Amino acid sequence: MKKLLIAVMTALSLAGCTKIEDGPLERITENYVFDPTDKNGFYAEQFLNNIYSILPNGYNRVGGDLLDAATDDAMPSRNAVSIERFTTSSLSALSNPDDAWSKNYEGIRKANIFLKNIDIVPVPAKIPFWKAETRFLRAMFYFELVKRYGGVPLVGDEVLDAEKPKNFTRNSFEECINYIVAECDAIKGAVRPDPLAAGDYGRISNGVVLALKARTLLYAASPLYNGGNIGGTADQKKYQGYANFDAERWNLAAQAANDLMLTGKFKIDGVTFNNVFIVRKNDEVILGYLRNNSSDLETNNGPVGYALASAQGRTSPTQDLVEAFPGLNGRDITDPVSGFVATNPYANRDPRLASTVLYNGVNWLSRPLQTYEGGLDKPNNNSTQTKTGYYLRKHLGNFATATLYSAQPHNFPIFRYAEVLLNYAEARNEYLTAPDASVYKVLQDIRKRAGITAGTTPGYSYGLKSSGMTKDEMRIAIRNERRIEMAFEEQRFWDLRRWKTAETVLNKDLNGMIITRNATTGALTYQKAVVGKISFANPRMYFYPIPYAEITKNTNLVQNTGW
């Protein structure tokens, strides 16, 4: 999308030279943006683009670390960083490195300003699309709030005045979910159809709207909200989930995902897994956060032993994640027929492993990676280095044979089609008493695209049973597939919470791989070892605390349970 990240204030500052006499800057702002003489709607479009910039942008956004470093998939390579508020259970209403309250309400306010004023701009052909896009963005900002805090105040179309704050009360979780879904239903036919023209890529399309609806309903059907409400008081229960369990919520989630699948506008077949993340436009990404080409991902997360690359190696994927990837035949590596060999642990594995994690011996910047003890990429000299024996690979450009990093199109995938398929499989499996053929097909299709072999073992396809799995067995398979397919895309952090399994999965030691190299023979020895710990000490951490500053400003806000 053209000029997606151009700040609206840039345009305003340029225009202000000719109309400075009109009044105070805060009054000039709307006059310039929503100008009845702006026949191309230039400033209004810049304002809309600025609202787009508030969308989730992923990558090293939490104090310089990936959000996944607050799960069992990775650790921060640096010590004493803000993301440890999650891993040490030291989060508080005063200190939250992922506090998104102000950011998303800022987006909602800007959306309401746009909707209130856009009709005076003389671009009738564009306004219907712009209005629908803005309503989507507002709904998305509400989703980002609800998944963190539960039910939040719904302010409607009102433009809030910072000088005259209103003491809104929180709407219930159910009301917020219904609002987001209703907005999606209202605008799905008003946005641009898929596939988008090249000049519109990155804008909101029909597929984007359907993807938000599907994700919203999936979350709403999940155990934390649907039968697992942790609210203490009656009000807290109202804000932190539904009053009771209803299996029909799973059915609605499955139907919403299927609605997008039936459009036939997106696919994973023929889309190379690694290219999903480094090719700006492809058939799988439904919505990406468009950024200028850069090498910041590589310099933030790449291995530390390449002098010319100046990388910081901030992300250390865990052995726990590595072991979640099956063998090349799709069988769990604990299965004797998987082909796994402990003395050569990365051979004959699911190809997504090599696209997700950089491990010892893989070629990078024209030499094999050295993460053995004392190697170039794990020098043990008190500098920042991998804590686990691994570095991040996913999202990084193809630099196996290069000598330096170069600018790449790193566009964080907000929605992609593989997630929609997994959303469908999960919801459909949870709704039925046993998985049907459509659930099996999702996992088979995803594994086929990954490069797992079809196999010849009777009763198996791509390493999974072809039929006869119980609902519980399929749940385990879907959750693991989601883990490895969506690693480092800000999914597992939220999945473990909505599944209400974080208090178990995130209370444990974290493992790495200690590799020693014989100085004489060069032979390598691999030893799994505990390298850290993660804590989810209290169920209250399933929800973020409403920021202390908001609670003190608005005494009508009820704090979440336990905070």
Side-chain angles (χ1 to χ4, degrees):
M1 185 182 73
K2 297 177 180 178
K3 302 185 181 76
L4 177 59
L5 299 182
I6 297 178
V8 69
M9 289 308 296
T10 302
L12 297 178
S13 65
L14 294 173
C17 296
T18 60
K19 299 176 73 174
I20 192 67
E21 71 280 7
D22 285 2
L25 180 61
E26 64 269 19
R27 295 183 180 179
I28 291 175
T29 300
E30 289 187 18
N31 291 340
Y32 276 113
V33 173
F34 306 104
D35 184 349
T37 67
D38 183 7
K39 63 181 180 180
N40 295 315
F42 175 78
Y43 297 134
E45 187 171 18
Q46 299 313 303
F47 191 93
L48 176 56
N49 291 345
N50 184 256
I51 303 174
Y52 268 89
S53 73
I54 301 172
L55 283 168
N57 59 8
Y59 303 136
N60 297 78
R61 66 173 187 82
V62 185
D65 287 295
L66 300 177
L67 184 63
D68 296 72
T71 74
D72 56 342
D73 280 356
M75 301 171 61
S77 300
R78 301 171 299 162
N79 295 322
V81 288
S82 62
I83 203 164
E84 291 177 349
R85 288 283 180 184
F86 293 109
T87 61
T88 61
S89 294
S90 56
L91 196 69
S92 75
L94 288 167
S95 182
N96 181 350
D98 187 42
D99 183 14
W101 187 279
S102 295
K103 173 186 175 182
N104 285 287
Y105 272 113
E106 176 192 359
I108 291 165
R109 183 178 186 276
K110 288 181 177 180
N112 285 347
I113 290 173
F114 188 89
L115 292 169
K116 176 184 176 183
N117 293 285
I118 188 57
D119 283 326
I120 71 171
V121 181
V123 284
K126 296 179 180 179
I127 285 176
F129 289 126
W130 286 355
K131 282 185 173 180
E133 290 173 43
T134 304
R135 289 177 68 180
F136 169 87
L137 292 169
R138 183 174 61 182
M140 183 74 187
F141 300 146
Y142 275 118
F143 174 78
E144 290 297 309
L145 288 164
V146 170
K147 78 178 184 182
R148 289 170 168 85
Y149 305 101
V152 296
L154 297 172
V155 302
D157 293 328
E158 186 169 353
V159 177
L160 302 182
D161 187 343
E163 302 300 320
K164 300 176 182 178
K166 285 193 173 183
N167 288 338
F168 285 95
T169 58
R170 295 174 68 177
N171 286 79
S172 69
F173 175 83
E174 182 171 11
E175 288 169 337
C176 290
I177 295 296
N178 290 346
Y179 172 81
I180 296 168
V181 171
E183 284 291 276
C184 290
D185 285 338
I187 64 176
K188 64 186 179 183
V191 293
R192 292 172 174 80
D194 297 291
L196 290 171
D200 291 325
Y201 186 67
R203 288 201 178 275
I204 306 308
S205 68
N206 173 259
V208 178
V209 176
L210 295 179
L212 175 60
K213 179 180 177 181
R215 185 185 287 177
T216 299
L217 289 172
L218 181 80
Y219 273 57
S222 298
L224 179 63
Y225 314 106
N226 187 16
N229 194 313
I230 67 165
T233 68
D235 278 343
Q236 288 169 329
K237 287 184 179 296
K238 181 173 65 174
Y239 304 138
Q240 295 184 250
Y242 293 107
N244 61 336
F245 170 78
D246 186 351
E248 185 59 25
R249 294 185 184 115
W250 285 117
N251 191 33
L252 291 173
Q255 290 175 359
N258 194 50
D259 286 344
L260 178 48
M261 293 159 62
L262 289 174
T263 66
K265 300 297 184 179
F266 302 94
K267 65 179 184 178
I268 61 172
D269 182 41
V271 182
T272 303
F273 182 72
N274 196 48
N275 285 350
V276 172
F277 312 104
I278 60 172
V279 174
R280 187 173 293 279
K281 189 177 190 303
N282 59 73
D283 291 332
E284 181 173 348
V285 173
I286 301 170
L287 177 65
Y289 185 95
L290 302 191
R291 307 161 79 237
N292 292 329
N293 286 6
S294 71
S295 58
D296 61 325
L297 255 68
E298 288 79 12
T299 55
N300 282 329
N301 304 289
V304 300
Y306 299 84
L308 295 178
S310 301
Q312 302 174 48
R314 292 181 179 180
T315 304
S316 296
T318 61
Q319 181 65 24
D320 310 74
L321 171 63
V322 170
E323 290 179 359
F325 289 87
L328 183 59
N329 62 5
R331 305 293 281 271
D332 188 281
I333 63 171
T334 61
D335 191 324
V337 302
S338 68
F340 175 75
V341 179
T343 56
N344 191 12
Y346 313 120
N348 299 313
R349 298 290 294 276
D350 181 337
R352 286 174 295 185
L353 174 60
S355 295
T356 304
V357 171
L358 288 171
Y359 47 78
N360 188 73
V362 70
N363 214 50
W364 192 250
L365 291 179
S366 298
R367 72 158 170 84
L369 197 66
Q370 298 179 11
T371 58
Y372 52 79
E373 299 303 299
L376 291 174
D377 303 296
K378 197 178 184 189
N380 298 332
N381 59 2
N382 296 318
S383 62
T384 299
Q385 63 176 25
T386 176
K387 293 180 178 178
T388 61
Y390 303 106
Y391 287 99
L392 180 71
R393 171 65 183 90
K394 196 172 190 179
H395 305 295
L396 277 58
N398 293 323
F399 291 108
T401 58
T403 55
L404 288 173
Y405 294 135
S406 58
Q408 302 292 313
H410 298 304
N411 303 312
F412 181 72
I414 299 172
F415 296 108
R416 67 179 178 99
Y417 191 53
E419 181 211 344
V420 174
L421 295 176
L422 288 165
N423 292 350
Y424 171 80
E426 179 182 343
R428 183 69 175 162
N429 183 63
E430 295 296 341
Y431 180 65
L432 301 173
T433 56
D436 65 7
S438 68
V439 177
Y440 286 95
K441 186 177 187 307
V442 165
L443 268 65
Q444 290 164 359
D445 286 349
I446 288 177
R447 287 181 157 220
K448 179 181 179 181
R449 188 275 290 273
I452 290 175
T453 58
T456 57
T457 304
Y460 283 81
S461 181
Y462 300 99
L464 289 174
K465 290 182 180 178
S466 300
S467 62
M469 293 176 71
T470 67
K471 180 175 185 171
D472 291 345
E473 289 173 334
M474 181 57 80
R475 180 187 299 122
I476 292 170
I478 290 170
R479 289 183 177 183
N480 192 71
E481 202 68 32
R482 191 176 181 94
R483 179 183 189 180
I484 59 180
E485 174 72 23
M486 309 300 297
F488 302 112
E489 297 180 53
E490 294 204 354
Q491 296 280 350
R492 187 162 178 80
F493 182 91
W494 303 111
D495 284 345
L496 294 175
R497 283 160 173 75
R498 68 181 179 84
W499 292 332
K500 208 178 178 184
T501 59
E503 58 201 281
T504 301
V505 177
L506 299 184
N507 264 323
K508 63 182 181 183
D509 293 328
L510 295 177
N511 296 290
M513 181 65 78
I514 305 300
I515 308 171
T516 54
R517 181 177 182 272
N518 186 294
T520 303
T521 66
L524 301 175
T525 303
Y526 297 86
Q527 180 63 51
K528 178 178 174 179
V530 173
V531 294
K533 193 174 186 65
I534 191 167
S535 169
F536 194 94
N538 194 305
R540 71 182 185 178
M541 290 184 65
Y542 280 115
F543 292 85
Y544 287 3
I546 295 177
Y548 176 77
E550 301 298 331
I551 293 288
T552 55
K553 284 189 299 186
N554 181 358
T555 56
N556 286 338
L557 292 176
V558 175
Q559 183 59 279
N560 282 328
T561 301
W563 296 105

